[in-house]
């Protein structure tokens, strides 16, 4: 007999109820923070488009604007990846063990 693996591909561990509550609280905080980060990204996107269209803008200021836009984009991307992992971690929790563990 071979064991059939039915778990997540992310290597998600089984959580206790206290750990689930902590993960839910962290996810709630992260989603609020993502709103703030997306607003910051929208601001730097606007500033980037202004910097690209204004020909008389100082080159140093243009470089700084591009840097902060890139940094804001990286923060949003990292937070969204972490949020996706937390959601998967909460959704892939086994409520009970399956009746058949082995292939027949």
């Amino acid at each position: 007999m071979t064991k059939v693996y039915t778990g997540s591909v992310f290597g998600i561990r089984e959580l206790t109820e206290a750990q689930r509550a902590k993960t839910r609280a962290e996810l709630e905080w992260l989603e609020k923070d993502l709103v703030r980060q997306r607003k910051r990204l929208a601001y730097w996107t606007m500033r980037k488009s202004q910097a690209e269209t204004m020909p008389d803008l100082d080159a140093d200021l243009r470089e700084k604007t591009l840097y902060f836009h890139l940094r804001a984009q990286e923060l949003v991307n990292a937070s969204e990846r972490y949020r996706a992992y937390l959601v998967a971690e909460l959704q892939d929790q086994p409520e009970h063990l399956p009746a058949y563990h082995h292939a027949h």
Side-chain angles (χ1 to χ4, degrees):
M1 287 191 185
T2 60
K3 183 167 174 76
V4 176
Y5 182 70
T6 59
S8 172
V9 296
F10 292 116
I12 293 173
R13 66 195 190 284
E14 188 173 341
L15 301 175
T16 64
E17 194 56 43
Q19 290 171 326
R20 288 183 195 188
K22 183 179 175 187
T23 303
R24 283 187 200 105
E26 187 174 356
L27 182 61
E28 182 180 341
W29 176 86
L30 184 62
E31 287 176 345
K32 289 177 186 175
D33 192 52
L34 262 169
V35 170
R36 183 186 59 81
Q37 288 178 1
R38 287 183 184 127
K39 286 179 184 177
R40 181 175 287 165
L41 177 61
Y43 170 78
W44 284 111
T45 302
M46 180 214 34
R47 298 294 293 188
K48 178 185 172 199
S49 66
Q50 289 175 347
E52 291 172 343
T53 58
M54 296 174 66
D56 57 339
L57 192 63
D58 185 35
D60 187 45
L61 184 59
R62 182 172 295 142
E63 287 179 19
K64 288 179 181 178
T65 302
L66 294 175
Y67 169 79
F68 284 115
H69 174 265
L70 180 64
R71 185 69 182 132
Q73 183 67 50
E74 289 172 352
L75 285 173
V76 168
N77 291 343
S79 295
E80 287 178 348
R81 279 193 305 270
Y82 186 54
R83 179 188 175 277
Y85 177 78
L86 289 177
V87 167
E89 186 175 50
L90 286 174
Q91 287 179 344
D92 286 350
Q93 290 299 310
E95 296 301 323
H96 57 83
L97 290 175
Y100 295 100
H101 296 284
H102 301 281
H104 298 284

